[in-house]
Amino acid sequence: MAVNNGEPGSAERQSGFTRRGFISAGATTATLPLIAGRALAGTPAQRAEAPDGDGKMNVTLRVNGQDQRLGLDSRTSLLDALRDHIGVTGTKKGCDHGQCGACTVLMDGKRVLSCMTLAVMAQGQDITTIEGLARPDGELHPMQQAFIDNDAFQCGYCTPGQILSAIGCVNEGHAGSDAEIREYMSGNLCRCAAYPNIVAAVQQAKTEMKEA
Amino acid sequence: MNVAVPPPKENMGQPVARLEARSKVTGEARYSADFPLNNLAHGVLVTSAIAAGSIKSLDLEAARAVPGVIEIFTQENVKGLKDPKFGQGNSSSVQPFNGPKIWHDEQMLALVVANTHEAAEDAAYRLRASYDETKPSATFDSPGSQTLDAVGNTESHKEDPKLGDVEAALATAPVKIDVKYSTPTQHHNPIELFSTTASWQDDKLTIYEPSQFVYGYKNGVAEQLGVDPANVRVVSPLIGGAFGSKGPMTPRTAVVAYAARALNRPIRCVVSRMQGFTTATYRAETRHHIRMGATPDGRIVAYSHEGWEVTSRPDNYVVGGTETTSLVYAYGAVGTRVQIVKADRNTPGYMRSPPETPYMYALESAMDEMAAALKMDPVEFRRVNDTQKEPIKGRPYTSRSLMTCYDQAAEAFGWKKRNPAVGSMRDGDWLIGMGCSTAIYPTNIGPAAVRVRLSPKGEVRIETAAHEIGTGIRTVAGQMAAEPLGLDMKMVTVETGDTDFPPAPVAGGSNSTASVCSAVLVASNRIRDRLFRAAVTSNDGPLAGRNPGDLGMKGGMIVAADGASVKLADLFGQMGSGVIEEYVEHTPEGMPPESMAKLYSGQSSFKRGSQGDKIRFAFGAEFVEVRIHSRTREIRIPRIVGAFAGGRIMNPRTARSQLMGGMIWGIGAGLLEATEIDPRAARYVNRDLAEYMVAVNADVNQLEVILVPEEDHEVNEAGVKGVGELGNVGTPAAIQAAVFHATGKRIRDLPIRLDDLLNV
Ligand code: FES
Ligand code: FES
C-alpha cells in the first residue's frame, strides 16, 4: 500500500547524519515531551544545558557551490538554515518530520531530507538545492525542463523536492521502468497528485541526463 | 504531444504551459512563508491537551526562561479581539484567545514568540497548563452528542429536497434496496503548511498567508482587530495546495497580527503538520441511509436519502449533498433529510467537492447495488434513468453529457470485456473487479473584478485577486486575454493573490475559471473595441473609415480581412496613449447587484449551479479496475479511466491535470484516507503524513482522462464549467462497486482496506 516513509525517507541510511540520530545519541536535549506543542499538565523537564551554552555555533555550509558562513543555534535543521539563514527558500517545509519529501536536497549528489538533517552535520558536503540546478545562462536542467513539458506539478510546492529526488533516483539507477520510478519516487508526496506526470517527466529526463 | 499535454478537441483552447511553470521548477516561486522580512521573529503555537473543559491556569515560567523567547501570548494578555463570524469567511465563531473555554482537542492556547524558530519550539514544549476537564463527545453515537435537523439550524441547508410521496412509492416498488454507508473524517493536508506572517508599518498591516480568499482575510482580520480594512493588505501570490483548507480564515491570523503589533516586530508563525489537523478545518465524517425502489425494467420510482454529518459545538456546519443528489436521475419520488450531530470537535469546513464527495458516494454505491438487484448492467441502469431535466421542479440542464461520458469511458476502459458475474474474473492470484460511477459537480459563478492593461509593445498584464492554488487560473485567465487580443502567451503576465488587486471570489466551488475568465473576456473585448474604434476613426491610418466589425487582432497588429493592418505601437501613437487599461467588474446575470460591493468587503457569493430556471452542472463517468490478492487481500488499482464534460475547456493540459489529481484523490478516499478518532479523548490519533495515508506515486498506475467536447452557451459568458472538484466525486463509489464485483462483498464504509476483506 502507501509507502510514505520509503526513499528518500530514511535519510540516515544515505547520509549517516540526521537530527533524529543526533538526538537519540543523547547529545543535546534531555527529555522532550513526545507530543510537540501540546500543553501538558505537570512540571516541565529541566532545561538541559546545551553544550555550547546559548551561544551560536559557527557553521559553514557549501550550498550550490558557495560557502556560507553562519552563526547557528546547534539545533537548526539544514532546512531551516537554508530557508531562514541563507535565504534560499526554494527548499520547502511540508512536515518537518521526514514524511513528505518536500525538503529534499542533494548532498554530495545523494538525496537527503534536509528537515531530518542538522545543519552542523551537513558541513563539508556539497549541498545542491533547486536554485543550483539551472546553468548560469538560465538553461534548465533536463529534469526541470521535463517537469514543465509534462505538467508534473500543479501548486508546485512539492516540486523542488520532487525534482531533486528525481535526479537522485536517476543517478541511483532506479529509473529503469515506470514501476521502478513510482516505487522510488514514493517518498515524495504530491497532494495535487501529479504522479503520472512526474513519472513521465523522469522518463523524459533520464535519457537526456545520460546524454549530457 | 505526450499524454500530459492533450491536443485540443472541439471547443477547447490550447494546452499551453503554466505561466508560472519556470518559477516553480527553479525555486523562484514565492509562497507566503518565503518572503524575506527584516528582524523577523518566529511564532510557535501551543495547543490544548484536552478536548472539552476549560483552562484553569497556565504555567509559563519554564517557557519564558528559554533564551531568545520574546513574549508568550495567551488569553491573559491578548485583549480586545472580536470573535469571528462563522459562515462569513471564518472557519469558526470562536476566537480561542478570548476565554478559557476549550471546545476541542488541540485548540490554540498560546503563541510563543522568539528570536529563532528553535527557541520558540523549545519554549512551546515547556509551557504547562492545568485544566478543568469534562468528558468529551467524539463523534456519532458518543454520549452527549446532539442531533439536529440541518433545516432550520444551518445557514446553507435551507430545505430537504423532496418530490411526491416517497414512502408510498417505496411500499409498492417491485424491486427495493435498503442500505447504509459511511465516510470517514478526512484532512486536506496540502503539502504547504498553514502559516501567517504579519508585519506592521505604523498602522498599516501586511499579512502573508496562503489563502483561497484574500479579500475575506483582509476584512476578517480587520474586523477582529478593530482596524480599518483599508489599512490591511493580504498577500498570497502562490498557494501550495489548498483543497478548501485555506478558504475560511482561522483565528490564528488575527492572533499573529495582534502579537506583531504588540511587539512592533514582524512575526512568522508556521503551523506544525500535527497542529494543522485541529487549528484548521477538515471533512467531517458522514453517515447515509438510502432506500431505493425500481421497476423491473430499471426505472427508479423512489429515492430516499437520509444523511448525518458531524459538526462542532459552537458552529452548525453542514454540506447537505442531497441538494445535488436529488437532481441527478429521473426519480419518480424523492425523500431526503439531513441532520447534523454536534460533538466536541473543531469546526469542519469545505474540502474538495464538499457535498458531492460523501453524498454521491452513497448514491452511486446504491445505484450499483440496485443494478445488481435488477441484474442490469450498471451503465445501462444509469442510461435508463438519465434525464435532461432535474426531477424535482423539472428545470432543464443547460447541458448534460453524462451518457456520452459513460460511452467514451466505457469504450476506452474495455467495459465490454467485463464478465458481469461476481467473482468471475481472475489473473493468477489476483481477483479482478470492475466498477463505474457518475461524477457531477455544480457550475458556480461569482462576481469578479479584473484590471487588464495593454502596452504598445503588445504586452498584456492582468491583475486580479484570484488565487493560484495549482489549478492554473493564471494561465487560463491569460489565455482569455491573449485570444481576443491576438497575442502570444509570451506577452502575457498575470498577477494574482493580493488585495491590492481587484477582488475575485473565494477559490472554492470550482468557480474561479468561470468567474475570472468572464471578467477578463469583457475587459479584453473592451480593449479591442477601443483599438478598433481608434483605428477606423483615425484621419489617415491604413484602416481609416473601415467597419470595426471587419477587423481582427494578430501578432501585435490590427488587421483587416484584405490584409491591411496597423501596428499597435503606431495606433497607440495616434491615440496618444501610453497604455490602454480596462477595469472590469463582472457580476453574473441573475445575481443581486450588491454582490459586487459585498465582494470588496470580503463576502463572496455565488450563483450556484442548482439555482435559476436552468441548472448548470458538469458531469463525468469513471471506471475502475481493482485487483485483490487472493491470499494477502492487498488491494491495487491497476487502471482507472474517467471521461468528463465541462463546457469549454480553456486549457486541456491544466484541465486534465486537475481531473487526474481529483481521480487520485478518489483513490485515496476509496482505499487509504481516514483521520482516526480516539472515542474517549475526542482526539485525532494519526495527525501526520506517515499515519494519515494519502495516495503516493506507487498507488497510481494506468490513469486515463478523456476530455469530452461540450458546448454550452447558456452556462455563463465564458462557456466554461469548473473541473477542479469533479474528478474525485465518482472514484470511491466506482472502487466500492469494483471490490464487490471482485469479491461479492459490499464494503459500505470508506476507506476499503485489506482487513475488510479478510474473510472473503
Ligand atoms: S520530509 Fe522534510 S519537510 Fe517533509
Ligand atoms: S504540485 Fe502540489 S503538492 Fe505536488
Side-chain angles (χ1 to χ4, degrees), chain A residues 1 4 37-40 42 47 75 83 92 94 99 138 144 148 150-151 154-155 182 186 191 195 197, chain B residues 2 18 22 24-25 31 33-34 47 122 128 131 188 273 653 657 665 672-673 689 695 698 700-701:
Chain A
M1 188 77 40
N4 278 335
R38 188 196 280 273
L40 301 173
R47 184 161 199 277
R75 297 164 296 187
R83 291 180 52 81
K92 297 293 187 248
Q99 298 172 341
Q144 292 174 306
I148 295 180
N150 293 279
D151 205 40
Q154 292 173 42
C155 77
R182 281 184 208 122
S186 279
R191 189 55 159 159
Y195 299 128
N197 295 3
Chain B
N2 66 33
R18 292 165 197 271
R22 188 183 166 97
K24 282 182 172 172
V25 302
Y31 298 80
D34 296 342
T47 48
D122 188 352
R128 287 295 177 274
Y131 304 99
H188 316 74
R273 177 60 61 186
R653 174 198 301 241
S657 276
W665 262 56
L672 303 167
E673 286 186 41
L689 289 174
V700 186
N701 295 287

Side-chain angles (χ1 to χ4, degrees), chain A residues 152-159 162 189-194 198, chain B residues 190-192 239-241 243 469-470:
Chain A
F153 50 84
Q154 292 173 42
C155 77
Y157 196 81
C158 72
T159 310
Q162 300 279 2
L189 304 183
C190 177
R191 189 55 159 159
C192 300
I198 292 170
Chain B
I191 301 298
E192 180 189 33
I239 296 102
F243 315 110
I469 52 179

Side-chain angles (χ1 to χ4, degrees), chain B residues 97 126 166 178 233 295 324 397 485 546 581 595 615 665 689 701:
Chain B
F97 280 70
R126 287 163 209 284
V166 78
D178 181 330
R233 176 180 175 208
T295 57
T324 296
Y397 287 90
L485 299 175
R546 298 192 184 232
E581 185 173 285
S595 55
I615 60 171
W665 262 56
L689 289 174
N701 295 287

